[in-house]
Amino acid sequence: MLNIHNLSVSFQGEYLFNEVTFRLGEGDRIGLVGKNGAGKSTMLRIISGEQEYDTGQIAIEKDIRIGFLKQDIDFVEGRTVLEESYEAFELIKKLEKQLEEINIQLAERTDYESEGYHDLMVSLSDVQHQYEIHGGYSYQGETERILMGLGFMREDFNRLTDTFSGGWRMRIELAKLLLQNNEVLLLDEPTNHLDIESIIWIESFLKSYSGAVVIVSHDRMFLDNVTNRTIEISLGRIYDYPKPYSEYLVLREEMRGQQMAAQKNQQKEIDQTEKLIEKFRAKASKATMAQSLIKKLNRMDVIEVDEDDNSVMSLNFPVSVVPGKVVIEAEGISKNYDDKEVLKNIDLFVERNSKTAFVGQNGQGKSTLAKIIVDEISHSGKLKLGHNVQLGYFAQNQADYLDGNKTVLDTMIDSANEKNRSRVRDILGSFLFRGDEAEKYVRVLSGGERNRLALAKLMLQPFNVLVMDEPTNHLDIKSKNVLKHALQRFAGTLIIVSHDRDFLQGLTSTVYEFKDHKIKEYLGDIDFYLEQRAVENMRDIEKRDVKKKKDTRKNESKKAVPKDQKKMKTLSNKLSNIESDVNKLEREIKKMDAQLAANYEQTAAKDGFFEGYQTKKKKLENLMEDWGKVSEELEEYA
């Protein structure tokens, strides 16, 4: 489908990647990994055609459609969720407009026998046919199915996109990509703003997707569940293995071990050969042998060990002043967004030096309460900060507040004061912005680099209570570990919103679960909380809550269907096979539609073309009916 050969891209004289080569084929689900700033997002932009490259070649099969989910999205204000989602169907919307214009003209005319009226009727027939073959009569139902899979409710469909958070807007953009029937999907951090329920849905979708997928993600579980191949970008090179991420790490470590052993043995051979050369060089009778050994050394291919980029940021959070014993006291906190109730009569008591986690599904009020604590949004109820409390706040979209037209250095200098301005360069260096890196414009930084800059900027303000909302979004795995260790050492008070179990493990001593407008306290770490909920991980909690929702929606009084794991597995496999067949059939019909659109008369005249075309469409209808039946049956056992 797509070949990249000897691709090189440099920035300010240094290579992001140098002469890298790989192939992308149908069915490939690639996890593109590497540290922040390694060039992952740049690679996606190059493949999508949005960015130029220095040297090399990219060969793409003709008529291949590429969909690209970016980290940053620009939305047109004033559209509803459905209206924005329908933008995926550019041709269908164009045909709808043509149909509307023709029908208006027909309604206004009365010269039914004229040639002009006849031409309009012919145009109407042609446009209606084009509308049908491009899915004009089915796209609305498919849009609703995808939106609901990504967590939207039917009552959300007619809400303006302006009223949704960045995370929900990301879901709308993802829905548009999934609706476009692209042969290649490029997904840049697709899970950053998704709750577990939606992550599970998109995992299922991508597993049955017949095209090629390239995913940039730092969610290890997501990569392991979805990908079948890993490409790591490191120090300008790529490492390509046909394994998901965790298996790739093991293989790469084994390979490095073998390389080191081989290099060690070779060095022994070199040392011995050099000793012999020195020994024989002094004797005239052995001069020929010495020259032979020298030639042998020159011909030897030196074994190199793959370099590993172990550079990490250095991070410490200092406490400004010691606050009073009670740092936050909240009573009867409630918050509504228009008619939607998020929090109701919440009481919260936070003591000095405590470390607290807020967990739960998206939309349950975790970020809302964090914003209330830092006085970013209005609310009802009382909230009082303790004596000498100085708040530091890292918002979920903290990087969005950075000015793209400023350099990294200017961003920091503008936020500094007289006391810490002289330390700006040192702080930037500890966050891996050294030398020319500090002169980069913010707009060219990756998501992870912007998060690092936002963390560096946070260091310029005094605080003793730190409120952090999903701080690990966009951060690579090594940076996550550095941040976690810094927070463990932090001598102040911490409140952190996260759904990342690995990150929370051993970090907090109290967990508040947000659910049904309320919060519930668990006096222990994240493992204690999961133990109390009798589950292995955060995903299991989401699955439980999803099941309860489905049961409630169907019929609260209906008797629960007993679980049958074997039957569930059979139905799941059947559903995956149907979805795979649907994707394959839709692509075949799409190609036939393209042939009709390009040359209707010549294509239609081909023997058996229309019979085959109608057979495929009928088969697709039957498959969609089967999909609905199996889905309903699976819900009975879920």
Side-chain angles (χ1 to χ4, degrees):
M1 297 178 79
L2 186 148
N3 283 292
I4 289 178
H5 182 68
N6 285 343
L7 187 76
S8 295
V9 175
S10 60
F11 181 79
Q12 293 183 346
E14 292 188 11
Y15 281 108
L16 267 181
F17 12 87
N18 186 18
E19 296 188 349
V20 301
T21 298
F22 64 91
R23 182 181 179 277
L24 185 61
E26 191 168 329
D28 278 342
R29 294 191 289 275
I30 296 174
L32 187 61
V33 301
K35 61 169 286 188
N36 294 140
K40 304 183 296 296
S41 296
T42 300
M43 180 65 80
L44 294 191
R45 287 195 295 270
I46 288 171
I47 295 173
S48 71
E50 288 194 4
Q51 182 168 328
E52 296 293 325
Y53 47 92
D54 297 339
T55 59
Q57 294 177 324
I58 298 181
I60 303 175
E61 288 182 19
K62 190 180 179 182
D63 298 327
I64 289 289
R65 290 173 58 116
I66 298 176
F68 183 19
L69 179 72
K70 308 172 193 176
Q71 290 182 16
D72 303 313
I73 301 170
D74 293 324
F75 265 86
V76 176
E77 294 186 357
R79 288 179 184 157
T80 66
V81 172
L82 277 180
E83 287 169 344
E84 183 63 46
S85 300
Y86 291 159
E87 291 297 308
F89 305 98
E90 186 178 345
L91 179 57
I92 290 176
K93 300 300 290 181
K94 185 178 178 181
L95 292 171
E96 280 184 342
K97 191 173 182 180
Q98 291 179 17
L99 285 173
E100 184 182 355
E101 290 172 353
I102 293 171
N103 282 316
I104 289 173
Q105 292 180 55
L106 287 172
E108 292 173 348
R109 297 180 67 149
T110 56
D111 54 337
Y112 307 121
E113 304 300 325
S114 69
E115 186 176 343
Y117 193 88
H118 177 263
D119 289 344
L120 277 176
M121 291 298 294
V122 172
S123 296
L124 180 64
S125 177
D126 288 345
V127 175
Q128 280 180 331
H129 181 70
Q130 291 291 322
Y131 186 70
E132 180 184 357
I133 65 176
H134 286 98
Y137 297 110
S138 60
Y139 78 95
Q140 293 179 337
E142 180 67 4
T143 300
E144 292 184 9
R145 183 178 77 86
I146 296 290
L147 286 172
M148 292 180 75
L150 286 170
F152 289 93
M153 309 295 289
R154 287 195 178 276
E155 52 263 35
D156 294 327
F157 290 169
N158 293 314
R159 284 177 58 193
L160 293 176
T161 58
D162 314 24
T163 64
F164 287 89
S165 66
W168 284 96
R169 290 188 182 189
M170 180 71 78
R171 297 189 198 204
I172 299 170
E173 193 67 16
L174 182 56
K176 286 160 64 178
L177 283 187
L178 301 182
L179 288 164
Q180 286 170 349
N181 292 321
N182 296 292
E183 286 86 2
V184 177
L185 286 179
L186 309 176
L187 307 178
D188 197 353
E189 300 284 8
T191 64
N192 264 358
H193 301 287
L194 299 182
D195 58 25
I196 305 301
E197 179 181 350
S198 296
I199 291 174
I200 292 169
W201 183 89
I202 196 172
E203 281 179 1
S204 175
F205 180 94
L206 291 174
K207 284 175 185 176
S208 62
Y209 179 68
S210 60
V213 187
V214 182
I215 303 167
V216 171
S217 178
H218 300 119
D219 185 331
R220 186 167 179 158
M221 185 179 288
F222 179 71
L223 288 172
D224 285 343
N225 286 343
V226 172
T227 62
N228 54 22
R229 182 176 163 196
T230 299
I231 295 179
E232 180 180 12
I233 302 176
S234 178
L235 299 171
R237 299 180 60 187
I238 64 167
Y239 302 88
D240 188 351
Y241 286 84
K243 296 287 183 182
Y245 183 68
S246 292
E247 293 180 42
Y248 157 73
L249 288 178
V250 175
L251 279 175
R252 189 175 172 201
E253 198 56 38
E254 288 176 356
M255 174 171 277
R256 277 177 55 81
Q258 291 168 2
Q259 288 174 338
M260 290 174 74
Q263 187 187 57
K264 188 176 180 181
N265 290 333
Q266 186 185 61
Q267 191 58 48
K268 282 183 181 177
E269 184 182 348
I270 291 171
D271 292 343
Q272 289 172 353
T273 304
E274 287 177 340
K275 285 179 181 178
L276 287 173
I277 291 171
E278 289 300 316
K279 182 179 179 182
F280 293 153
R281 188 177 275 164
K283 298 179 181 179
S285 60
K286 301 287 186 179
T288 304
M289 186 176 291
Q291 289 299 318
S292 175
L293 290 172
I294 290 171
K295 288 179 182 178
K296 177 186 174 184
L297 274 184
N298 291 336
R299 289 195 303 268
M300 188 178 289
D301 290 328
V302 178
I303 296 172
E304 295 181 356
V305 177
D306 292 335
E307 290 184 80
D308 198 6
D309 190 350
N310 290 312
S311 57
V312 293
M313 62 182 180
S314 174
L315 184 56
N316 281 295
F317 293 109
V319 174
S320 54
V321 294
V322 178
K325 186 177 180 182
V326 177
V327 295
I328 300 171
E329 195 170 359
E331 184 180 345
I333 298 293
S334 297
K335 178 64 182 177
N336 287 40
Y337 290 104
D338 295 327
D339 295 331
K340 185 178 180 181
E341 186 176 53
V342 180
L343 298 173
K344 185 177 180 181
N345 292 327
I346 298 296
D347 295 334
L348 181 69
F349 186 83
V350 180
E351 291 188 321
R352 181 181 61 212
N353 300 342
S354 61
K355 288 184 168 63
T356 304
F358 288 176
V359 303
Q361 288 176 296
N362 282 1
Q364 293 294 323
K366 305 185 300 295
S367 296
T368 297
L369 186 55
K371 290 175 182 177
I372 288 172
I373 290 171
V374 298
D375 198 26
E376 189 172 286
I377 57 175
S378 61
H379 62 279
S380 59
K382 297 177 182 178
L383 188 139
K384 180 184 176 183
L385 298 181
H387 177 66
N388 270 348
V389 166
Q390 294 179 328
L391 290 169
Y393 177 47
F394 188 93
Q396 186 173 152
N397 59 338
Q398 186 73 44
D400 294 345
Y401 294 109
L402 301 173
D403 186 344
N405 294 317
K406 289 183 180 180
T407 66
V408 170
L409 182 59
D410 288 340
T411 299
M412 290 290 286
I413 289 174
D414 291 347
S415 299
N417 55 40
E418 291 299 324
K419 290 182 179 179
N420 56 31
R421 190 165 286 121
S422 61
R423 295 180 51 240
V424 161
R425 281 278 187 182
D426 292 337
I427 294 172
L428 283 175
S430 68
F431 283 84
L432 303 182
F433 294 108
R434 301 178 182 122
D436 292 341
E437 293 286 312
E439 302 300 334
K440 280 185 177 180
Y441 281 97
V442 171
R443 63 174 175 268
V444 304
L445 299 180
S446 69
E449 287 175 314
R450 273 181 280 179
N451 251 30
R452 276 199 272 120
L453 178 56
L455 281 169
K457 191 178 170 185
L458 182 64
M459 305 301 291
L460 295 172
Q461 67 179 90
F463 56 82
N464 47 32
V465 177
L466 185 54
V467 181
M468 308 191 86
D469 191 355
E470 299 289 3
T472 61
N473 280 355
H474 303 292
L475 288 182
D476 59 54
I477 293 168
K478 289 179 181 176
S479 296
K480 277 189 195 181
N481 290 335
V482 170
L483 176 60
K484 178 176 177 176
H485 295 324
L487 292 174
Q488 286 173 327
R489 294 192 303 269
F490 177 50
T493 307
L494 175 67
I495 296 175
I496 189 161
V497 179
S498 180
H499 62 263
D500 188 332
R501 174 183 175 172
D502 290 337
F503 183 72
L504 290 176
Q505 248 176 346
L507 179 58
T508 63
S509 56
T510 305
V511 174
Y512 282 99
E513 181 184 31
F514 286 64
K515 188 178 178 184
D516 300 329
H517 322 305
K518 300 286 187 181
I519 61 174
K520 184 176 180 180
E521 184 181 39
Y522 292 82
L523 295 174
D525 65 2
I526 194 67
D527 288 334
F528 173 77
Y529 160 69
L530 293 169
E531 183 184 319
Q532 293 297 302
R533 290 292 305 267
V535 291
E536 289 296 319
N537 54 52
M538 308 286 272
R539 288 181 171 226
D540 288 343
I541 291 172
E542 293 291 347
K543 286 178 181 177
R544 282 186 170 197
D545 292 341
V546 171
K547 180 186 180 304
K548 287 178 183 177
K549 280 185 188 176
K550 287 178 179 176
D551 290 344
T552 304
R553 286 174 189 164
K554 288 176 78 173
N555 192 336
E556 288 185 1
S557 62
K558 190 171 180 179
K559 203 169 184 181
V561 180
K563 285 188 176 180
D564 186 335
Q565 296 297 329
K566 190 174 180 181
K567 181 69 173 177
M568 282 179 68
K569 187 174 181 181
T570 302
L571 289 171
S572 294
N573 290 337
K574 188 174 181 180
L575 192 65
S576 293
N577 291 333
I578 291 173
E579 288 175 346
S580 182
D581 290 343
V582 166
N583 285 332
K584 184 178 178 183
L585 208 53
E586 282 179 340
R587 294 185 188 286
E588 291 174 0
I589 293 172
K590 180 184 164 189
K591 288 180 181 178
M592 298 177 83
D593 288 340
Q595 293 172 22
L596 282 170
N599 195 329
Y600 181 79
E601 291 184 5
Q602 187 177 339
T603 305
K606 289 181 182 178
D607 188 35
F609 181 87
F610 265 114
E611 289 81 357
Y613 180 75
Q614 293 300 330
T615 300
K616 289 180 187 296
K617 292 202 79 171
K618 183 63 179 174
K619 187 177 179 182
L620 181 60
E621 288 178 16
N622 292 336
L623 281 172
M624 291 306 293
E625 287 181 14
D626 291 344
W627 183 90
K629 290 175 183 176
V630 175
S631 295
E632 288 179 7
E633 194 174 351
L634 187 59
E635 284 190 4
E636 295 285 335
Y637 287 89

